[in-house]
Amino acid sequence: MIGHGFMGAAHSQGWRVAPRFFDLPLDPAMQVVVGRDPGRTAEAAATWGWLEAATDWREVIRRDDIDLIDIVTPGDTHAEIAIAALRAGKHVLCEKPLANTVAEAEAMAAAAEDAARAGVRSMVGFTYRRVPATTFARRLVAEGRIGEVRQVRAEYLQDWLADENAPLTWRLNKDIAGSGSLGDIGAHAVDLTEFITGQTVDRVSGILETLVAERPVMAEGVGLSGTAGAERGAVTVDDLALFTGRLSGGALASFEATRFRTGRKNALRIEISGSRGALAFDLERMNELEFYDATLPESEQGFRRIFVTEPSHPYADRWWPTGHMLGYEHGFSHQVVDLVTAIAERTDPAPSFADGLHVQRVLDAVERSSAADGAWQTTR
């Protein structure tokens, strides 16, 4: 695993736990974690169960005993690491968004396509696809339970930047992060919409806004909980993204991504309305799915809650008894299950790098639309 921190902890949890709850066709060995700082990387290895710590990812990729590379670094390094790993014959799992630019994502998708001819697999870490409730929602849509999809509303709402004196982090630097709310969390809203509906976002019209242009700079080595200094630095990414999308099936979708929605901690919410019914999901109630069946008699209609913890629900049969809830970390175990199974069965896992490239093109189209006062832009 190259990189550590928040996503490193989440991915490590997935690699460690999945083999203990699921009958995997291959047995993952958590061999080495790579980071820039030797001390912090060694600490991460000891904490999360990696056998080794290293500081040179190029050297690790060249090793014969390494079969898969898991990339959890900031976006500005994804392309270089992923392409090198694929060319070295390593399977690759890369966190979202796939890259910082369309050009980088195109190069990564091309490398993945070339590697696939030799049996090398690659996947993007859009983990919310693997929440049992969202996977079940996709199944219901595919079965025609809500009929023709007519309208989608998708939003990812957080408030961790609502304080204008919150410190400047790498996520607020466009050179490192690529974009702000749009790429960090808006990418999830786009991917989840496409995953559940089975359609793509083909055109967009939107606007990006930076609500706080400067923030305090943290001293070197001070974490997010530390005290920032008096110096202030420029925020070079968006704080808020609002856009409309036209889906490939003709439906309209509205999207919002913000880290300024006071009171919302991690609210990835999606509502899909169709000719025969509707579905609604909120990550802050991640074990629930709301379902509306418009074919019932009028006297029986209304949204009803489905508690997605039954053995017949996706992934749920390997965990706890009915009604015992799953949490954020379980999606990373499900990600491991699907990737390892695909590698063993010699099939292409999803979402692919091509899927990640498409999401990158959606993000790019939103940026272009905002620069053009909301003019519609294609995502091709």
Side-chain angles (χ1 to χ4, degrees):
M1 183 175 72
I2 301 176
H4 51 82
F6 168 41
M7 274 296 104
H11 281 233
S12 298
Q13 173 79 352
W15 288 114
R16 185 172 59 246
V17 172
R20 290 164 172 80
F21 280 81
F22 292 81
D23 297 324
L24 299 184
L26 298 171
D27 186 19
M30 296 173 62
Q31 189 63 37
V32 56
V33 60
V34 184
R36 290 173 296 184
D37 181 274
R40 292 175 57 198
T41 307
E43 182 180 352
T47 299
W48 302 331
W50 295 89
L51 297 178
E52 304 174 46
T55 57
D56 187 341
W57 63 263
R58 294 173 180 86
E59 181 179 303
V60 169
I61 284 175
R62 288 193 294 266
R63 287 172 48 167
D64 293 335
D65 64 331
I66 301 298
D67 303 302
L68 185 147
I69 300 295
D70 184 359
I71 304 170
V72 296
T73 56
D76 63 326
T77 61
H78 286 186
E80 182 183 10
I81 298 172
I83 292 170
L86 290 167
R87 289 176 176 169
K90 313 300 184 186
H91 307 295
V92 174
L93 170 62
C94 183
E95 256 302 320
K96 49 51 62 185
L98 185 61
N100 277 5
T101 68
V102 170
E104 290 176 346
E106 287 175 340
M108 293 172 73
E113 185 177 355
D114 289 342
R117 298 189 185 99
V120 177
R121 311 299 171 187
S122 52
M123 190 172 81
V124 188
F126 281 113
T127 320
Y128 295 131
R129 287 182 172 217
R130 293 176 167 87
V131 173
T134 62
T135 310
F136 184 55
R138 175 184 170 90
R139 181 192 301 175
L140 292 177
V141 172
E143 291 173 351
R145 297 294 300 277
I146 68 168
E148 176 190 359
V149 175
R150 291 174 170 170
Q151 184 178 353
V152 179
R153 180 173 182 174
E155 52 190 6
Y156 204 152
L157 315 174
Q158 298 177 343
D159 72 352
W160 63 277
L161 286 176
D163 179 1
E164 64 183 21
N165 290 313
L168 194 67
T169 75
W170 68 265
R171 293 184 184 275
L172 303 178
N173 184 334
K174 186 174 180 61
D175 290 340
I176 301 175
S179 65
S181 294
L182 176 65
D184 184 23
I185 55 179
H188 278 303
V190 172
D191 180 73
L192 199 59
T193 295
E194 296 190 336
F195 173 67
I196 295 176
T197 64
Q199 301 180 30
T200 56
V201 179
D202 287 353
R203 294 195 303 141
V204 296
S205 168
I207 186 169
L208 303 177
E209 187 80 12
T210 300
L211 302 178
V212 175
E214 292 184 341
R215 289 185 176 275
V217 176
M218 290 186 296
E220 184 70 25
V222 176
L224 287 178
S225 60
T227 302
E231 180 187 354
R232 299 182 75 87
V235 174
T236 54
V237 299
D238 59 280
D239 291 325
L240 169 64
L242 296 169
F243 56 102
T244 301
R246 176 73 70 178
L247 302 187
S248 55
L252 277 175
S254 63
F255 297 90
E256 178 180 353
T258 178
R259 299 179 293 204
F260 274 75
R261 184 66 77 85
T262 304
R264 299 298 180 188
K265 302 305 175 184
N266 201 36
L268 173 56
R269 302 159 67 168
I270 183 168
E271 184 167 329
I272 304 172
S273 301
S275 57
R276 294 169 53 87
L279 294 166
F281 170 77
D282 187 338
L283 186 63
E284 291 186 338
R285 302 199 314 273
M286 66 181 300
N287 290 274
E288 302 176 21
L289 182 68
E290 291 185 88
F291 176 58
Y292 184 97
D293 188 347
T295 68
L296 292 174
E298 183 180 277
S299 59
E300 300 175 23
Q301 289 181 6
F303 274 98
R304 60 186 175 89
R305 184 188 73 163
I306 300 173
F307 207 46
V308 190
T309 62
E310 297 292 335
S312 58
H313 288 134
Y315 307 106
D317 63 320
R318 294 292 179 157
W319 294 105
W320 317 120
T322 297
H324 291 69
M325 297 176 289
L326 300 187
Y328 171 77
E329 73 278 9
H330 290 82
F332 295 92
S333 292
H334 303 157
Q335 178 172 261
V336 167
V337 171
D338 291 345
L339 177 58
V340 170
T341 300
I343 291 171
E345 295 178 350
R346 299 182 179 181
T347 58
D348 291 324
S352 65
F353 275 24
D355 296 326
L357 169 59
H358 173 73
V359 172
Q360 200 75 45
R361 286 174 170 157
V362 174
L363 304 181
D364 179 73
V366 174
E367 288 199 57
R368 288 188 280 112
S369 176
S370 181
D373 293 329
W376 284 88
Q377 305 288 329
T378 65
T379 62
R380 294 184 180 87

PDB file of all heavy atoms in Angstrom, residues 18 35 51 87 96 106 121 140 152 158 204 211 228 236 261 306 315 324 352:
ATOM      1  N   ALA A  18     -11.303  -8.579   5.664  1.00  0.00           N
ATOM      2  CA  ALA A  18     -12.019  -9.328   4.626  1.00  0.00           C
ATOM      3  C   ALA A  18     -11.692 -10.820   4.623  1.00  0.00           C
ATOM      4  O   ALA A  18     -12.613 -11.650   4.542  1.00  0.00           O
ATOM      5  CB  ALA A  18     -11.745  -8.707   3.255  1.00  0.00           C
ATOM      6  N   GLY A  35       5.645   5.116   2.694  1.00  0.00           N
ATOM      7  CA  GLY A  35       5.401   6.515   3.006  1.00  0.00           C
ATOM      8  C   GLY A  35       6.681   7.311   2.898  1.00  0.00           C
ATOM      9  O   GLY A  35       7.775   6.745   2.785  1.00  0.00           O
ATOM     10  N   LEU A  51       3.642  -5.995   7.365  1.00  0.00           N
ATOM     11  CA  LEU A  51       4.863  -6.675   7.771  1.00  0.00           C
ATOM     12  C   LEU A  51       6.097  -5.785   7.673  1.00  0.00           C
ATOM     13  O   LEU A  51       7.048  -5.947   8.435  1.00  0.00           O
ATOM     14  CB  LEU A  51       5.066  -7.937   6.926  1.00  0.00           C
ATOM     15  CG  LEU A  51       3.991  -9.011   7.072  1.00  0.00           C
ATOM     16  CD1 LEU A  51       4.283 -10.190   6.152  1.00  0.00           C
ATOM     17  CD2 LEU A  51       3.873  -9.474   8.520  1.00  0.00           C
ATOM     18  N   ARG A  87       2.685  -1.317 -15.635  1.00  0.00           N
ATOM     19  CA  ARG A  87       3.741  -1.715 -16.574  1.00  0.00           C
ATOM     20  C   ARG A  87       4.669  -2.758 -15.962  1.00  0.00           C
ATOM     21  O   ARG A  87       5.306  -3.540 -16.687  1.00  0.00           O
ATOM     22  CB  ARG A  87       4.522  -0.492 -17.034  1.00  0.00           C
ATOM     23  CG  ARG A  87       3.716   0.403 -17.972  1.00  0.00           C
ATOM     24  CD  ARG A  87       4.462   1.661 -18.354  1.00  0.00           C
ATOM     25  NE  ARG A  87       3.694   2.454 -19.319  1.00  0.00           N
ATOM     26  CZ  ARG A  87       4.002   3.702 -19.673  1.00  0.00           C
ATOM     27  NH1 ARG A  87       5.067   4.302 -19.145  1.00  0.00           N
ATOM     28  NH2 ARG A  87       3.250   4.350 -20.555  1.00  0.00           N
ATOM     29  N   LYS A  96     -10.115   7.127  -5.427  1.00  0.00           N
ATOM     30  CA  LYS A  96     -10.762   8.112  -6.274  1.00  0.00           C
ATOM     31  C   LYS A  96     -10.374   9.523  -5.840  1.00  0.00           C
ATOM     32  O   LYS A  96      -9.875   9.695  -4.721  1.00  0.00           O
ATOM     33  CB  LYS A  96     -12.273   7.953  -6.250  1.00  0.00           C
ATOM     34  CG  LYS A  96     -12.935   7.830  -4.882  1.00  0.00           C
ATOM     35  CD  LYS A  96     -12.664   8.817  -3.803  1.00  0.00           C
ATOM     36  CE  LYS A  96     -13.051  10.247  -4.035  1.00  0.00           C
ATOM     37  NZ  LYS A  96     -12.609  11.124  -2.928  1.00  0.00           N
ATOM     38  N   GLU A 106      -6.656   9.626 -18.740  1.00  0.00           N
ATOM     39  CA  GLU A 106      -6.586   8.943 -20.040  1.00  0.00           C
ATOM     40  C   GLU A 106      -5.347   8.057 -20.115  1.00  0.00           C
ATOM     41  O   GLU A 106      -5.418   6.912 -20.604  1.00  0.00           O
ATOM     42  CB  GLU A 106      -6.584   9.968 -21.168  1.00  0.00           C
ATOM     43  CG  GLU A 106      -7.932  10.640 -21.392  1.00  0.00           C
ATOM     44  CD  GLU A 106      -7.878  11.739 -22.432  1.00  0.00           C
ATOM     45  OE1 GLU A 106      -6.765  12.255 -22.712  1.00  0.00           O
ATOM     46  OE2 GLU A 106      -8.951  12.097 -22.964  1.00  0.00           O
ATOM     47  N   ARG A 121      -5.054  -6.730 -13.546  1.00  0.00           N
ATOM     48  CA  ARG A 121      -6.344  -6.092 -13.253  1.00  0.00           C
ATOM     49  C   ARG A 121      -6.158  -4.742 -12.546  1.00  0.00           C
ATOM     50  O   ARG A 121      -5.163  -4.524 -11.843  1.00  0.00           O
ATOM     51  CB  ARG A 121      -7.210  -7.006 -12.372  1.00  0.00           C
ATOM     52  CG  ARG A 121      -7.312  -8.430 -12.878  1.00  0.00           C
ATOM     53  CD  ARG A 121      -7.944  -8.516 -14.253  1.00  0.00           C
ATOM     54  NE  ARG A 121      -7.839  -9.869 -14.804  1.00  0.00           N
ATOM     55  CZ  ARG A 121      -8.186 -10.194 -16.033  1.00  0.00           C
ATOM     56  NH1 ARG A 121      -8.678  -9.281 -16.859  1.00  0.00           N
ATOM     57  NH2 ARG A 121      -8.050 -11.437 -16.449  1.00  0.00           N
ATOM     58  N   LEU A 140     -32.546  -3.233  -7.399  1.00  0.00           N
ATOM     59  CA  LEU A 140     -33.959  -2.892  -7.563  1.00  0.00           C
ATOM     60  C   LEU A 140     -34.197  -2.108  -8.855  1.00  0.00           C
ATOM     61  O   LEU A 140     -35.180  -2.346  -9.563  1.00  0.00           O
ATOM     62  CB  LEU A 140     -34.449  -2.093  -6.353  1.00  0.00           C
ATOM     63  CG  LEU A 140     -34.516  -2.851  -5.027  1.00  0.00           C
ATOM     64  CD1 LEU A 140     -34.940  -1.908  -3.900  1.00  0.00           C
ATOM     65  CD2 LEU A 140     -35.485  -4.024  -5.109  1.00  0.00           C
ATOM     66  N   VAL A 152     -33.058  12.432 -10.814  1.00  0.00           N
ATOM     67  CA  VAL A 152     -32.124  12.051  -9.751  1.00  0.00           C
ATOM     68  C   VAL A 152     -31.698  13.306  -9.009  1.00  0.00           C
ATOM     69  O   VAL A 152     -31.438  14.349  -9.624  1.00  0.00           O
ATOM     70  CB  VAL A 152     -30.877  11.337 -10.323  1.00  0.00           C
ATOM     71  CG1 VAL A 152     -29.907  10.977  -9.188  1.00  0.00           C
ATOM     72  CG2 VAL A 152     -31.265  10.094 -11.115  1.00  0.00           C
ATOM     73  N   GLN A 158     -20.885  17.921   3.716  1.00  0.00           N
ATOM     74  CA  GLN A 158     -20.046  17.885   4.912  1.00  0.00           C
ATOM     75  C   GLN A 158     -19.897  19.313   5.442  1.00  0.00           C
ATOM     76  O   GLN A 158     -20.226  20.271   4.740  1.00  0.00           O
ATOM     77  CB  GLN A 158     -18.670  17.297   4.591  1.00  0.00           C
ATOM     78  CG  GLN A 158     -18.689  15.867   4.105  1.00  0.00           C
ATOM     79  CD  GLN A 158     -17.313  15.358   3.727  1.00  0.00           C
ATOM     80  OE1 GLN A 158     -16.374  16.128   3.522  1.00  0.00           O
ATOM     81  NE2 GLN A 158     -17.164  14.037   3.630  1.00  0.00           N
ATOM     82  N   VAL A 204     -23.350  18.399 -18.639  1.00  0.00           N
ATOM     83  CA  VAL A 204     -23.505  19.083 -17.358  1.00  0.00           C
ATOM     84  C   VAL A 204     -23.543  20.589 -17.549  1.00  0.00           C
ATOM     85  O   VAL A 204     -23.014  21.144 -18.517  1.00  0.00           O
ATOM     86  CB  VAL A 204     -22.353  18.740 -16.377  1.00  0.00           C
ATOM     87  CG1 VAL A 204     -22.352  17.271 -16.019  1.00  0.00           C
ATOM     88  CG2 VAL A 204     -21.008  19.163 -16.936  1.00  0.00           C
ATOM     89  N   LEU A 211     -15.707  29.731  -1.097  1.00  0.00           N
ATOM     90  CA  LEU A 211     -16.378  30.575  -0.102  1.00  0.00           C
ATOM     91  C   LEU A 211     -15.390  31.258   0.834  1.00  0.00           C
ATOM     92  O   LEU A 211     -15.655  32.359   1.312  1.00  0.00           O
ATOM     93  CB  LEU A 211     -17.374  29.735   0.699  1.00  0.00           C
ATOM     94  CG  LEU A 211     -18.469  29.035  -0.127  1.00  0.00           C
ATOM     95  CD1 LEU A 211     -19.365  28.206   0.781  1.00  0.00           C
ATOM     96  CD2 LEU A 211     -19.289  30.054  -0.905  1.00  0.00           C
ATOM     97  N   ALA A 228      -2.843  26.378  14.186  1.00  0.00           N
ATOM     98  CA  ALA A 228      -2.280  26.999  12.993  1.00  0.00           C
ATOM     99  C   ALA A 228      -1.625  28.326  13.363  1.00  0.00           C
ATOM    100  O   ALA A 228      -1.970  28.961  14.359  1.00  0.00           O
ATOM    101  CB  ALA A 228      -3.372  27.217  11.954  1.00  0.00           C
ATOM    102  N   THR A 236      -7.028  27.274  -3.285  1.00  0.00           N
ATOM    103  CA  THR A 236      -7.019  27.278  -4.751  1.00  0.00           C
ATOM    104  C   THR A 236      -7.983  26.269  -5.355  1.00  0.00           C
ATOM    105  O   THR A 236      -7.894  25.936  -6.535  1.00  0.00           O
ATOM    106  CB  THR A 236      -5.594  27.006  -5.268  1.00  0.00           C
ATOM    107  OG1 THR A 236      -5.102  25.791  -4.694  1.00  0.00           O
ATOM    108  CG2 THR A 236      -4.664  28.153  -4.899  1.00  0.00           C
ATOM    109  N   ARG A 261     -21.745  22.680   4.435  1.00  0.00           N
ATOM    110  CA  ARG A 261     -23.142  22.545   4.832  1.00  0.00           C
ATOM    111  C   ARG A 261     -23.209  22.277   6.335  1.00  0.00           C
ATOM    112  O   ARG A 261     -23.137  21.136   6.787  1.00  0.00           O
ATOM    113  CB  ARG A 261     -23.807  21.419   4.043  1.00  0.00           C
ATOM    114  CG  ARG A 261     -25.309  21.287   4.338  1.00  0.00           C
ATOM    115  CD  ARG A 261     -26.107  22.478   3.859  1.00  0.00           C
ATOM    116  NE  ARG A 261     -26.298  22.420   2.420  1.00  0.00           N
ATOM    117  CZ  ARG A 261     -27.284  21.736   1.827  1.00  0.00           C
ATOM    118  NH1 ARG A 261     -28.172  21.081   2.553  1.00  0.00           N
ATOM    119  NH2 ARG A 261     -27.394  21.746   0.517  1.00  0.00           N
ATOM    120  N   ILE A 306     -36.479   0.048   4.354  1.00  0.00           N
ATOM    121  CA  ILE A 306     -35.947  -1.309   4.300  1.00  0.00           C
ATOM    122  C   ILE A 306     -34.652  -1.315   5.105  1.00  0.00           C
ATOM    123  O   ILE A 306     -33.731  -0.554   4.824  1.00  0.00           O
ATOM    124  CB  ILE A 306     -35.665  -1.741   2.853  1.00  0.00           C
ATOM    125  CG1 ILE A 306     -36.951  -1.699   2.022  1.00  0.00           C
ATOM    126  CG2 ILE A 306     -35.054  -3.137   2.825  1.00  0.00           C
ATOM    127  CD1 ILE A 306     -36.721  -1.943   0.534  1.00  0.00           C
ATOM    128  N   TYR A 315     -23.718  -8.755   0.467  1.00  0.00           N
ATOM    129  CA  TYR A 315     -22.620  -8.848   1.437  1.00  0.00           C
ATOM    130  C   TYR A 315     -23.061  -9.196   2.858  1.00  0.00           C
ATOM    131  O   TYR A 315     -22.239  -9.620   3.674  1.00  0.00           O
ATOM    132  CB  TYR A 315     -21.816  -7.542   1.506  1.00  0.00           C
ATOM    133  CG  TYR A 315     -21.301  -7.024   0.199  1.00  0.00           C
ATOM    134  CD1 TYR A 315     -21.881  -5.905  -0.411  1.00  0.00           C
ATOM    135  CD2 TYR A 315     -20.218  -7.621  -0.429  1.00  0.00           C
ATOM    136  CE1 TYR A 315     -21.396  -5.412  -1.626  1.00  0.00           C
ATOM    137  CE2 TYR A 315     -19.737  -7.133  -1.641  1.00  0.00           C
ATOM    138  CZ  TYR A 315     -20.332  -6.030  -2.231  1.00  0.00           C
ATOM    139  OH  TYR A 315     -19.853  -5.533  -3.412  1.00  0.00           O
ATOM    140  N   HIS A 324     -28.261  -6.255  13.048  1.00  0.00           N
ATOM    141  CA  HIS A 324     -27.004  -5.775  13.628  1.00  0.00           C
ATOM    142  C   HIS A 324     -26.255  -4.999  12.552  1.00  0.00           C
ATOM    143  O   HIS A 324     -25.835  -5.549  11.551  1.00  0.00           O
ATOM    144  CB  HIS A 324     -26.172  -6.946  14.149  1.00  0.00           C
ATOM    145  CG  HIS A 324     -26.775  -7.607  15.344  1.00  0.00           C
ATOM    146  ND1 HIS A 324     -27.940  -8.347  15.268  1.00  0.00           N
ATOM    147  CD2 HIS A 324     -26.391  -7.625  16.650  1.00  0.00           C
ATOM    148  CE1 HIS A 324     -28.248  -8.805  16.469  1.00  0.00           C
ATOM    149  NE2 HIS A 324     -27.319  -8.380  17.321  1.00  0.00           N
ATOM    150  N   SER A 352     -13.846   0.219 -13.216  1.00  0.00           N
ATOM    151  CA  SER A 352     -12.577   0.123 -13.924  1.00  0.00           C
ATOM    152  C   SER A 352     -11.913   1.491 -14.025  1.00  0.00           C
ATOM    153  O   SER A 352     -12.512   2.524 -13.711  1.00  0.00           O
ATOM    154  CB  SER A 352     -12.820  -0.425 -15.325  1.00  0.00           C
ATOM    155  OG  SER A 352     -13.589   0.506 -16.077  1.00  0.00           O
TER     156      SER A 352
END
